[in-house]
């Protein structure tokens, strides 16, 4: 306040007026501090757009997206087997894993319910010829008959067409024309499980060499293979691998 405006006012009144004004100023400052403290205690803090985005997505401060799972495929040839295939299916179901089975036509008769179960539980079923023959050594008509007869058996059971084939020994004639869809699927990791009954050896071979997008070759005709396959699943799932059917890898 201008001192000149107070010059005509008695000294005692000037003192009283100054005191009142001082108290008012102190009260206003105290109220401002109280409001600030209440706001902070309630956690009302304005976030930047970037902080809001991170909070919503629960991303780390680095802003990196969560890593994708590493996909691999387990494939089994030569089935179905009357004992070991069902044991394998039990273990796959327990672990929520889908696999790929390449069936021999000559092994299907009498095991139709096993093939039906494979289909109903979401596994991919492929063709491994009828008698496990090297189709590159057959006349085209005979080679096609090996494939067609097996596919017809599978379709009669599952109601689904068979589009994928794994040629025995990996020998495929790319010029073979049988008037049906035949997409060959090979492998990147061969367990050689048919050469040993040692499950530990099979497990070690896979877990020490497997990489993302690998297709693992096994045979559901051996007790040691079933044991090894389920142990492999447990170990690799713990490392962040996801097991998918083989078509998912070759069609990506």
């Amino acid at each position: 306040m201008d001192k000149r405006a107070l010059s005509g006012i008695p000294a005692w009144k000037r003192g009283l007026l100054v005191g009142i004004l001082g108290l008012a100023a102190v009260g206003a400052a105290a109220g401002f501090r109280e409001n600030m403290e209440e706001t902070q205690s309630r956690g009302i803090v304005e976030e930047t757009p970037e902080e809001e985005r991170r909070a919503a997505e629960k991303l780390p401060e680095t802003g990196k997206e969560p890593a994708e799972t590493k996909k691999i495929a387990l494939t089994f040839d030569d089935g179905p087997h009357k004992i070991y295939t069902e044991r394998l299916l039990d273990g796959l179901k327990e672990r929520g894993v889908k696999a790929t089975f390449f069936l021999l036509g000559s092994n299907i008769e009498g095991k139709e319910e096993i093939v039906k179960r494979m289909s109903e539980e979401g596994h991919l079923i492929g063709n491994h010829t009828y008698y496990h023959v090297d189709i590159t050594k057959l006349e085209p008509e005979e080679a096609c008959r090996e494939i067609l007869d097996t596919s017809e058996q599978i379709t009669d059971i599952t109601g689904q067409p068979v589009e994928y084939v794994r040629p025995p020994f990996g020998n495929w004639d790319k010029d073979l024309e049988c008037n049906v869809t035949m997409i060959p699927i090979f492998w990147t990791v061969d367990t050689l499980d048919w050469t040993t009954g040692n499950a530990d050896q099979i497990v070690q071979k896979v877990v020490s060499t497997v990489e993302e997008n690998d297709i693992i070759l096994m045979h559901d005709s051996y007790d040691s293979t079933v044991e090894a396959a389920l142990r492999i699943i447990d170990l690799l799932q713990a490392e962040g691998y996801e097991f998918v059917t083989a078509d998912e890898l070759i069609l990506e």
Side-chain angles (χ1 to χ4, degrees):
M1 178 178 290
D2 192 339
K3 291 182 179 180
R4 290 174 298 178
L6 300 174
S7 59
I9 301 175
W12 69 271
K13 288 186 176 181
R14 291 200 303 270
L16 179 61
L17 179 59
V18 170
I20 291 172
L21 292 174
L23 289 173
V26 171
F32 177 78
R33 286 196 302 270
E34 183 177 347
N35 288 337
M36 285 294 295
E37 291 170 357
E38 181 181 358
T39 297
Q40 292 174 353
S41 68
R42 287 159 51 194
I44 304 176
V45 179
E46 185 176 356
E47 293 182 333
T48 65
E50 177 63 19
E51 290 171 333
E52 290 176 350
R53 183 186 71 79
R54 284 201 299 266
E57 298 181 5
K58 296 183 179 180
L59 296 180
E61 289 297 321
T62 59
K64 293 181 180 179
E65 299 292 336
E68 293 184 0
T69 55
K70 300 171 288 187
K71 295 180 179 180
I72 52 176
L74 277 178
T75 66
F76 299 90
D77 291 3
D78 295 358
H81 188 278
K82 62 181 179 180
I83 297 175
Y84 302 128
T85 301
E86 285 202 282
R87 189 179 301 171
L88 176 61
L89 289 172
D90 290 342
L92 295 174
K93 184 176 182 179
E94 181 182 344
R95 291 161 175 78
V97 166
K98 309 303 181 189
T100 303
F101 293 87
F102 293 100
L103 307 184
L104 288 174
S106 58
N107 280 342
I108 292 176
E109 185 175 356
K111 308 178 191 72
E112 290 84 356
E113 287 303 313
I114 298 177
V115 177
K116 185 178 180 181
R117 179 184 174 184
M118 287 179 185
S119 177
E120 291 176 343
E121 295 183 358
H123 303 290
L124 179 65
I125 301 177
N127 192 316
H128 199 43
T129 73
Y130 200 89
Y131 289 115
H132 202 279
V133 295
D134 184 344
I135 60 174
T136 64
K137 295 180 179 180
L138 302 178
E139 292 296 324
E141 182 178 352
E142 188 178 358
C144 284
R145 182 51 50 198
E146 283 278 334
I147 293 169
L148 293 173
D149 284 353
T150 302
S151 290
E152 287 173 6
Q153 279 185 298
I154 296 171
T155 299
D156 286 344
I157 296 169
T158 67
Q160 301 296 323
V162 181
E163 299 178 326
Y164 299 94
V165 58
R166 170 166 286 166
F169 316 107
N171 296 335
W172 178 244
D173 181 359
K174 62 183 179 59
D175 296 321
L176 184 65
E177 178 57 58
C178 300
N179 296 319
V180 294
T181 301
M182 298 183 301
I183 303 173
I185 295 181
F186 300 97
W187 58 87
T188 56
V189 177
D190 187 350
T191 62
L192 297 175
D193 57 337
W194 57 276
T195 67
T196 177
N198 188 324
D200 291 338
Q201 182 178 329
I202 300 170
V203 171
Q204 180 60 26
K205 182 175 180 62
V206 174
V207 299
S208 64
T209 61
V210 74
E211 296 179 352
E212 183 177 6
N213 296 322
D214 270 339
I215 297 177
I216 303 167
L217 169 61
M218 308 186 83
H219 300 78
D220 53 323
S221 306
Y222 309 98
D223 182 51
S224 55
T225 292
V226 174
E227 178 188 342
L230 300 181
R231 286 169 56 187
I232 288 167
I233 292 171
D234 293 340
L235 290 169
L236 294 184
Q237 281 183 330
E239 293 183 16
Y241 282 92
E242 176 187 0
F243 290 86
V244 299
T245 52
D247 59 323
E248 188 170 333
L249 296 183
I250 69 170
L251 295 179
E252 285 188 340

